[in-house]
Amino acid sequence: RSVTPRSSARINTMLGGVVIPPITPPIPGVSGLAVSLAANTPASTSIPYGAFNQAITKVNLTAGTEGNVTVSKLTVTRTGLSANTDIDLVKIFDGTIQKGNGGTLNSNNQAVFTFTTPLVISAGTTKTLTISADLDSAAGTGRTIIFSVAAATDVISDASATTGSATGNPMTIIAVTIVSVTIAEGPSNP
């Protein structure tokens, strides 16, 4: 049971003027959220056009110790010397589980994800999300893709405050030639 201002005044009177301030209980579920680049985010590398589920960036979402944080929306921004048409879909994975549907990039070079089942980050823990891409089979070779959660405001949650951002490393699109082999029946051996 918490001490209210009225009961605090009564206790102060009984104790002969010793002042006991009222105790304000913490509000459950109100906690801060920090956004940062994961230490194991993929290093810059070459990725083939037409590839699926290519991990581009890993982002950490860390809840404060005051309570759980529920994330309902996340915006991913594409930068780099590439075009939105080089990417068919942007996807978010929590471990091996894809969260929601793949998103397409809009005219602001952003894919906006609204989670029908919100992401819950337990108090004092970190959830690492992988931002992946399905590349178009006609993506331009030599172009670079960078994904980011560009600002704290790109994460919508019930956190009391959100801080930080995360920008991944550039990935270069390359052409890959697949060799085909034809197997034909040969002459019969006696």
Side-chain angles (χ1 to χ4, degrees), residues 35-113:
V35 179
S36 63
L37 187 66
N40 64 341
T41 201
S44 293
T45 190
S46 298
I47 53 177
Y49 62 69
F52 292 96
N53 295 334
Q54 290 294 301
I56 306 291
T57 303
K58 291 189 178 186
V59 175
N60 286 336
L61 300 177
T62 303
T65 57
E66 300 84 8
N68 297 346
V69 173
T70 302
V71 175
S72 57
K73 187 183 270 189
L74 183 80
T75 300
V76 174
T77 301
R78 179 203 57 82
T79 55
L81 299 174
S82 56
N84 289 346
T85 55
D86 291 329
I87 301 164
D88 287 334
L89 287 174
V90 179
K91 300 176 182 177
I92 295 179
F93 288 87
D94 179 3
T96 58
I97 308 297
Q98 184 176 334
K99 303 307 279 183
N101 297 322
T104 56
L105 293 162
N106 62 27
S107 60
N108 295 321
N109 305 322
Q110 296 176 326
V112 180
F113 296 88

Side-chain angles (χ1 to χ4, degrees), residues 131-153:
I131 303 170
S132 298
D134 289 353
L135 299 181
D136 190 83
S137 60
T141 60
R143 294 180 178 177
T144 57
I145 298 169
I146 302 169
F147 282 159
S148 66
V149 176
T153 53

Side-chain angles (χ1 to χ4, degrees), residues 6-7 11 15-16 18 29-34 40 52 74 84 95 97-98 108 116 118 129 151 157 188:
R6 186 175 182 170
S7 60
I11 293 170
L15 294 175
V18 176
V30 176
S31 186
L33 180 67
N40 64 341
F52 292 96
L74 183 80
N84 289 346
I97 308 297
Q98 184 176 334
N108 295 321
T116 53
L129 301 177
S157 71
S188 299

